[in-house]
Amino acid sequence: MNISSPNKTQIRTEGEPKYSTFRFHLCGPSYLRPIRQHTEKQLKPGFFVADVILGTRLDEDGVSAFIRKCTTLSNLRGTRPFLPMLISDGFAPEALKACRSHGIMATTPATLFGEDVAKALADLMDTLTNAAAVAASSPDQLEKLFQKLSGIEGSAGNLRGALFELLVGHMVRQLEGGSIDIGAIVSCDD
């Protein structure tokens, strides 16, 4: 959505995005009018920060840590303005009210990407959580996910490689036996 500079924005999978003293899932400089600052010599960006908590509907207790993080940042001297966003599958009314009262955007994947992509992401979470069982019983489920995720093609491209490896791993497991370990780094000296 061009909220932050694409070449400078960091996401958690690429490192440890940090703004001031806190880590976020996404962090980047933003030149949006309400948070940028003009000095005599230059334009200074504000920052866009976001955390993602999927797989649950957040209540007031669920958003309290993010609110505390943002409140602490706001009270630090010398901190540039920032625009915080919290993304979750859903929010209880009191959680939304708490976020709004602290100037935090609370949103869902469905609001950001549409219902189809949100459903595909939820399916992907289920598939990855139960990867061995799903791929062994229904390998075509992975192909359906590829098709559904075309709405977020850039991110889906990153997922396609991992899902393809998962599919191949399960095929090899069916032929050769053994197990599948996700996230393991394996080397072979021949």
Side-chain angles (χ1 to χ4, degrees), residues 97-177:
K97 185 176 179 182
C99 286
R100 272 192 228 115
S101 71
H102 287 88
I104 296 168
M105 286 189 292
T107 191
T108 66
T111 302
L112 288 174
F113 306 117
E115 290 293 333
D116 290 342
V117 173
K119 174 78 170 97
L121 288 172
D123 290 348
L124 176 63
M125 291 294 289
D126 288 342
T127 300
L128 294 178
T129 301
N130 306 307
V134 170
S137 66
S138 178
D140 60 317
Q141 185 76 10
L142 297 176
E143 176 58 29
K144 289 178 186 173
L145 281 173
F146 287 144
Q147 292 170 353
K148 289 179 182 177
L149 289 171
S150 63
I152 52 170
E153 193 60 41
S155 297
N158 294 338
L159 295 172
R160 288 175 197 266
L163 290 174
F164 178 74
E165 289 177 14
L166 182 63
L167 180 61
V168 170
H170 283 286
M171 290 176 169
V172 170
R173 186 179 68 81
Q174 282 183 327
L175 294 172
E176 303 287 329

Side-chain angles (χ1 to χ4, degrees), residues 49-79:
V49 297
D51 274 347
V52 181
I53 305 170
L54 296 179
T56 188
R57 182 174 185 263
L58 297 177
D59 59 12
E60 196 168 7
D61 286 339
V63 299
S64 64
F66 189 76
I67 290 172
R68 258 192 321 279
K69 188 164 41 170
C70 293
T71 301
T72 301
L73 282 172
S74 295
N75 292 325
L76 293 176
R77 214 174 347 167
T79 303

Side-chain angles (χ1 to χ4, degrees), residues 21-96:
T21 57
F22 289 99
R23 298 190 192 292
F24 290 90
H25 290 126
L26 182 144
C27 179
S30 177
Y31 289 91
L32 292 176
R33 187 173 297 276
I35 60 173
R36 67 185 185 191
Q37 295 176 322
H38 291 278
T39 63
E40 292 177 16
K41 297 182 181 181
Q42 66 184 13
L43 179 66
K44 289 187 174 186
F47 278 83
F48 174 65
V49 297
D51 274 347
V52 181
I53 305 170
L54 296 179
T56 188
R57 182 174 185 263
L58 297 177
D59 59 12
E60 196 168 7
D61 286 339
V63 299
S64 64
F66 189 76
I67 290 172
R68 258 192 321 279
K69 188 164 41 170
C70 293
T71 301
T72 301
L73 282 172
S74 295
N75 292 325
L76 293 176
R77 214 174 347 167
T79 303
R80 289 201 207 145
F82 64 97
L83 178 63
M85 179 184 282
L86 182 59
I87 304 167
S88 183
D89 289 335
F91 296 88
E94 66 274 4
L96 281 174

Side-chain angles (χ1 to χ4, degrees), residues 8-12 14-18 24-28:
K8 299 286 185 177
T9 300
Q10 293 180 325
I11 58 174
R12 195 173 95 192
E14 299 170 349
E16 300 273 340
K18 191 174 179 184
F24 290 90
H25 290 126
L26 182 144
C27 179

